[in-house]
Each structure stands twice: as C-alpha cells, then as structure tokens.
Amino acid sequence: MGVAEVAEYARVSRQAISNMRNRDDSFPAPVEELRSGPVFLESEIREYFEPRGGSAGRSAPMSDSVVRHVPAEFDPLDKANLVASVVSALFSAPAQPLGQFEPFNGSGIYCVYYSGGDELYAPIADGDPSRPIYVGTVHGRTRASSETLSASSSPALARRLRGHAQSIEAVERHTTPTIKHPLFVRDFSFRCLVVDEMWAVPAIDSVMSRSAPIWNSVIRGFGAHTTGSSRRAVKAAWDTLHPGRQWAEPYEDGYSVEELETLARKHFSRSLETGVGI
C-alpha cells in the first residue's frame, strides 16, 4: 500500500499519514522506498489502525459478558463471495511444472510457486497453494487495439508463463559458484485459472492481500521485460538478487544483495507474526 491507499483506508488526509509517521514511532515502517513514495504491508497498516478505530476497525467490545450474535444473511452472489470462489478455484487448480507445459489458450490469473533449496525462500517452499512466490493476471486484449477478447480465445496466459520460465532459465544459465541465490526452472511450478477480466482483477487483488507474494511486494521486477529508457534507471531488485537477464545487466544495482536478503527475511518474519503470506 502506498501513502494514498493508507490515507484512504484510514479515512484521513495524506498529510495526516505523514504526520503520524513523523510523530509515532510505532507507525509501521515501509517495506520499500520507491520514487513515488513508501510502500507498506497492508497487514501491518490494518494492525496499526484497527485498535485506533480506523475505517476497518472493529466495534468496541460490549461492556457485559453476554455474547450477542445476530447471524447475517449469506448471499452467495455477493461480489466478495464470488471473488472468494474464484480464488478457491485458483488454489485448487492442478500444479504444473513451469519449465514444461502444454500450450493452451486463455487469459486470467496465475500463481508461481518455488520448491527449491534456497534458504531465503524456505518459508514458502512447502507446496502450500496459498503461498506463491509470485502472482499475476493477463487480460484478454490484443496489443494492436483495446478490443476485448473472450477469456479463452487468446494464448496470452501461456505466453506470459513461458516468459517467466525464460527469465528463470536465463538466471540458471548465468549460475556460477559466486552467485548466492541461483534459480533453476525445475524448482518452479504454477497454477492458473482461465477467467474473465471482470473476475481476474479482484481475485488477484485478494490473493495479493492474503498471500503477499515476495516477488510482488519486496523483491520486485520478475515480471518486467525491460528496465526502461530513463538514464537514471536502476536494476530491479529481482535482477540484483538473481542476475542473468542480459537486458538488465547494463544498469546499476539499486540495492546490494545483502540489503535485499535483509528485506526478504523481514518480510517473512512479519508474515509469521501476522499470518499474511505464511
């Protein structure tokens, strides 16, 4: 979450959030500082504001010891419940090896999983469907126009997954004894769901909030195709930690490997405390 999203969540101004950061030492520290501003973990923001009566805060406990509960009507067609069913279908889809799968048509959502031996990613290497290392969505649109295609009419999803496999294969080819965090495509799998864009976007947002995949939130850049044309462009965190993609090599590192290791371990430590992503 950026400052604007935090302010919207807390129903205060951006300036109020800046004041809180400056005056309250318990305000959550950002997980990353981008040019556009700090980025915070949604779980930590919720944990900070709920006791203070934030917009998502729970009502104050009743003064007496009687537990009063009035069951709410469950609407299976409510948007939140429909989105939850899409997420459940994604997590229930069969896992397939990222490096070798049959071509297919479809756009929608996907999760990439790691099962290798790098201790840095050990907390998510247990095969749990709700602990992806990266998630993404592919919309059913052509590059030549904004024409919307049906969810099953384009090979865009398979093409995206193959691109991810190629990124990991580039790192694998670059592996030397001095590389601290090599990657091997055999250690990666994916689950995907061909689904209309109407449901793909809220579903992947739900997965992001629930799972906080590290390659989406801390070690960013896995899904990038180029670093950009800016003279001040720096190498993405993912390419610093996992070098190998040739187009990224000319750029300077924005972080050291050691700094990124520290960020990753803090991310997983917070996840253990909050239950988000673990």
Side-chain angles (χ1 to χ4, degrees), residues 7-72:
E8 182 180 357
Y9 172 80
R11 296 185 180 179
V12 298
S13 67
R14 297 185 187 183
Q15 183 59 49
I17 297 299
S18 296
N19 291 339
M20 291 180 195
R21 292 186 66 200
N22 293 331
R23 297 172 183 172
D24 188 350
D25 292 337
S26 66
F27 194 92
V31 295
E32 192 168 354
E33 291 281 356
L34 304 178
R35 292 179 184 174
S36 58
V39 177
F40 304 89
L41 279 180
E42 181 178 349
S43 58
E44 294 187 351
I45 292 299
R46 288 182 181 275
E47 185 178 356
Y48 176 82
F49 279 107
E50 283 185 5
R52 295 166 172 79
S55 64
R58 300 180 177 88
S59 58
M62 293 182 290
S63 58
D64 56 57
S65 60
V66 178
V67 178
R68 300 186 179 96
H69 173 68
V70 179

Side-chain angles (χ1 to χ4, degrees), residues 143 160 163-164 167 221-228 245 247-248:
R143 288 191 175 184
R160 174 74 63 81
H164 290 333
S167 289
F222 174 58
H225 300 289
T226 62
T227 304
R245 294 194 290 197
W247 57 260

